[in-house]
Amino acid sequence: MSFEKNAVDAGRIPEHIAIIMDGNGRWARRRLRPRSFGHRAGMEALRRAVQTCGELGVRVLTVYAFSTENWKRPQEEISFLMGLLQEYLGRELQELHRQGVVVRVLGDISPLDPRIQAELRQAQALTAGNRGLVLNIALNYGGRREL
Ligand code: FPP
């Protein structure tokens, strides 16, 4: 188990948890490391969060990973983040499937690299019939767009 069992009240597990993947840059800066180091640590934190939510019986985990505002970041950082997303899918998809996770993608992914779109669709198709944690990955999402 990847969490402190005694710290969790089994009768009060939330149905839905939403995480804004924020603060990666500040986390890295406090450690005198580049932002990319923080983003990579953010991805690892997500991996642990998914596993823990699955083990605790949380039904839905929504992660806000990349907003419409994030396109304003330097191209190099955007490319790095897209690479991380691909790495996450490449490395974790089979394990997510094994854990029974249902991967769903929220947001308009049409501006993303076609290969990433294909991998996201593949992840959704592979896991659509699973019965475990629903992992919503919000990409290119934004309040303005929703309105
Ligand atoms: C915000 O931190 C974080 C992001 C904009 C990106 C989060 C996305 C990933 C780690 C990519 C991988 C995604 C998945 C779903 C595996 P920040 O840079 O705004 O930090 P700061 O506020 O401290 O500057």
Side-chain angles (χ1 to χ4, degrees), residues 21-26 35 39 46 65 70 73 81 88 137:
M21 295 178 75
D22 193 17
N24 293 346
R26 276 162 288 165
R35 295 175 63 78
H39 289 316
L46 171 64
N70 288 151
R73 292 185 181 224
L81 289 170
Y88 179 77
I137 306 176

Side-chain angles (χ1 to χ4, degrees), residues 1-10 13 48-58:
M1 293 245 169
S2 53
F3 55 91
E4 180 54 61
K5 253 166 104 184
N6 295 337
V8 175
D9 180 346
I13 303 295
R48 294 194 301 275
V50 169
Q51 186 180 350
T52 303
C53 284
E55 288 169 2
L56 288 174
V58 173

